[in-house]
Amino acid sequence: MKPLKSTAMQADLRKTNPEKNMHRFYHLRIERTLFEDWCLIRRWGRIGSNGQAKRQWFTSISDASSALEKVAGIKKRRGYVPSHAAPMQLRQPQVPL
């Protein structure tokens, strides 16, 4: 049996729009399973929540990585940016005078 490698690829994306009270995340990660398959794990939701998750299995790393790139490309076209490029923008509470 071949030893398992701890290879992981990931993409962390965010989409924020304070005017619309929109603070979303989309996390993509590829992990190797115990059965030597590859799993693309997608997590998404509102920043600060647990969100939802979906798993998709592949027999090769190349299929899994092309699926990750495809999903990340779709999200980027919809306005998501890498999380390191999108600092959290929270509105200051409005205090009535």
Side-chain angles (χ1 to χ4, degrees):
M1 184 186 324
K2 293 187 271 183
L4 293 177
K5 296 178 183 174
S6 62
T7 305
M9 297 173 48
Q10 66 182 25
D12 294 310
L13 305 169
R14 284 189 180 178
K15 184 176 182 179
T16 58
N17 186 339
E19 291 80 31
K20 293 183 179 181
N21 196 23
M22 180 189 308
H23 305 283
R24 299 178 184 171
F25 72 89
Y26 206 95
H27 178 77
L28 299 160
R29 183 177 175 93
I30 296 174
E31 294 180 353
R32 189 129 194 210
T33 67
L34 293 174
F35 303 107
E36 298 190 14
D37 288 335
W38 296 92
C39 183
L40 171 61
I41 303 167
R42 305 186 212 184
R43 287 187 47 241
W44 67 92
R46 184 171 175 86
I47 294 173
S49 73
N50 290 333
Q52 301 178 37
K54 181 177 181 178
R55 296 173 192 261
Q56 192 174 4
W57 287 269
F58 299 91
T59 55
S60 71
I61 184 69
S62 61
D63 291 342
S65 62
S66 59
L68 182 144
E69 291 172 8
K70 181 179 177 183
V71 173
I74 291 169
K75 293 299 171 185
K76 287 177 183 177
R77 284 192 295 276
R78 291 184 179 167
Y80 284 79
V81 295
S83 61
H84 58 81
M88 188 67 179
Q89 300 171 348
L90 295 177
R91 292 185 290 178
Q92 295 294 324
Q94 299 295 323
V95 179
L97 297 176

